[in-house]
Amino acid sequence: MSFTHTPLKRTRLNRSELFIPGSKPDLFPKAVNSKADVICIDLEDAVAPQDKDEAKKNLIQALKELDFGKKTVSMRINGLDTNFCYRDVVDVMENGGERLDLMMIPKVGVPADVYAIDMLVTQIESRTKRDKKIGFELIVETAMGMANLDSICSGSGRIESLHFGYADYAASVRMRTTNVGGPNPDYAILTHESPEGRLTHWNDLWHNPISQMAILGRKHGLRVIDGPFGDFSDPDGYNAQGKRTAILGCEGKWAIHPNQVELANDLFTPKESTIERARKIVTLMKEAQDHHDGAVTLDGKLIDAASVRQAEQLIDQQDLIDSMS
Ligand code: GLV
Ligand code: MG
């Protein structure tokens, strides 16, 4: 027996996820005052090795003292292949109180990676009598992580979302680029001869992994989130990348700079006209079904029960946004 839709395991507004290095505590209040849905305080790649301990202390202090309001608060721990990882989990969970909502695990490669962190988190939650259960965000950013993603997603009931890590993914599969997101002139096709000559059409080199992540994430009822766009002075490039991933099923994107937060919120808020049409579809199909019609036309286009499912997931997303504002 299969259900056509896997419900989301945990709904949470995640249009924009703002990253702040744990070693830059002066930026924390700015992040809190931003419009980001999720703030992720990074202990991993944005923090130099000699600053790791200080970054963790800053995070613990912020969790106890800063008022994060309604925002979701996450921390990115160091990878399991480092000797920082276990202390990130233990120190922050034992000393940071209850404010933390999510833990982001980088470079997951096998289901046991998630299991290992879950084991630590579960023990600490039990020992510290923590009420709020920590959820997991996984970064898909290695060839192994991508190849094993289906089984990784079953690695823990805590997993809420998958995130695409452009830079590490590119490094892992040895892509010939140093860009974090965005296009590449070498990933293009040449058209046949035309009156304007042979045209070069740039393609999206990230399409395949992001689409795979979206399919597998949704199969497991997880949020699917687009990762970083490195050139923070290129809002048009950011928007172009985000529009493509929204179409593929992502419901949010990282902001590695505060100026990307509102771009992400706009990109991942359905347009008013889209929601209007979605509501029309639901109303029209309800009337149609009352008259025993399975399919009707709206603006000259066919709609049926599947259109209602398309419309409802958009309306659900809008309802979530409205409930948080
Ligand atoms: C993010 O972690 C990335 O590797 O791009
Ligand atoms: Mg990474």
Side-chain angles (χ1 to χ4, degrees):
M1 174 71 183
S2 115
F3 294 90
T4 50
H5 286 263
T6 315
L8 270 177
K9 279 199 180 142
R10 173 77 158 83
T11 17
R12 202 188 271 284
L13 202 54
N14 205 165
R15 295 167 304 173
S16 50
E17 181 144 350
L18 176 60
F19 276 69
I20 304 291
S23 50
K24 302 248 168 80
D26 46 318
L27 299 180
F28 295 180
K30 285 189 195 144
V32 171
N33 290 322
S34 75
K35 294 210 158 62
D37 294 332
V38 181
I39 296 178
C40 183
I41 299 190
D42 190 16
L43 302 182
E44 200 217 14
D45 282 355
V47 176
Q50 64 274 26
D51 294 337
K52 297 280 188 195
D53 286 338
E54 195 57 37
K56 198 167 42 182
K57 273 191 209 140
N58 297 334
L59 167 59
I60 291 169
Q61 187 176 353
L63 288 171
K64 288 196 296 203
E65 293 174 9
L66 259 187
D67 179 3
F68 287 91
K70 282 205 266 179
K71 290 196 189 309
T72 293
V73 183
S74 177
M75 72 187 264
R76 179 164 73 167
I77 60 173
N78 285 283
L80 282 92
D81 55 342
T82 71
N83 63 14
F84 299 114
C85 176
Y86 79 105
R87 290 238 68 102
D88 288 347
V89 178
V90 174
D91 292 348
V92 176
M93 287 201 62
E94 284 191 349
N95 303 303
E98 290 251 345
R99 186 57 186 84
L100 191 71
D101 300 293
L102 300 173
M103 195 173 287
M104 178 175 271
I105 312 175
K107 300 178 184 68
V108 283
V110 292
D113 290 345
V114 186
Y115 181 88
I117 303 297
D118 195 343
M119 181 273 290
L120 283 176
V121 168
T122 301
Q123 289 196 23
I124 302 167
E125 279 179 351
S126 153
R127 193 176 176 98
T128 59
K129 302 194 173 25
R130 197 175 206 275
D131 284 329
K132 185 162 59 177
K133 302 284 170 238
I134 292 284
F136 288 167
E137 309 179 282
L138 308 185
I139 317 185
V140 183
E141 54 181 349
T142 61
M144 190 173 292
M146 186 54 91
N148 294 331
L149 194 52
D150 199 13
S151 50
I152 288 172
C153 290
S154 319
S156 159
R158 294 180 188 273
I159 305 171
E160 292 190 11
S161 58
L162 300 180
H163 300 242
F164 186 68
Y166 288 86
D168 275 305
Y169 181 80
S172 174
V173 303
R174 294 176 181 259
M175 291 168 73
R176 204 168 46 186
T177 176
T178 51
N179 284 355
V180 182
N184 189 300
D186 285 344
Y187 199 74
I189 55 160
L190 210 52
T191 66
H192 286 176
E193 212 48 78
S194 74
E196 301 87 46
R198 295 190 74 180
L199 305 177
T200 300
H201 282 266
W202 291 32
N203 285 289
D204 183 0
L205 61 160
W206 312 105
H207 173 91
N208 179 45
I210 293 183
S211 178
Q212 274 198 61
M213 177 183 80
I215 294 165
L216 289 169
R218 296 310 189 183
K219 174 188 167 190
H220 290 271
L222 308 175
R223 297 189 300 280
V224 183
I225 309 295
D226 185 14
F229 187 81
D231 187 352
F232 55 81
S233 47
D234 180 11
D236 292 342
Y238 184 94
N239 280 335
Q241 183 88 64
K243 274 188 196 167
R244 289 199 301 276
T245 58
I247 291 286
L248 288 177
C250 290
E251 61 185 88
K253 181 161 177 60
W254 291 12
I256 50 142
H257 188 279
N259 71 11
Q260 294 179 333
V261 168
E262 297 209 28
L263 299 177
N265 286 348
D266 282 353
L267 280 167
F268 292 94
T269 301
K271 299 275 160 293
E272 236 175 85
S273 55
T274 308
I275 295 297
E276 248 170 51
R277 185 177 160 81
R279 291 196 202 285
K280 255 194 213 164
I281 289 173
V282 173
T283 313
L284 216 71
M285 279 307 299
K286 167 108 197 45
E287 285 167 13
Q289 279 164 3
D290 288 347
H291 293 98
H292 301 263
D293 284 326
V296 285
T297 54
L298 172 60
D299 304 328
K301 293 177 191 144
L302 179 110
I303 56 169
D304 65 8
S307 318
V308 175
R309 290 190 284 274
Q310 286 179 289
E312 278 174 348
Q313 54 92 10
L314 289 162
I315 295 169
D316 285 351
Q317 182 64 7
Q318 185 61 50
D319 288 347
L320 178 65
I321 294 166
D322 293 342
S323 73
M324 296 296 291
S325 48

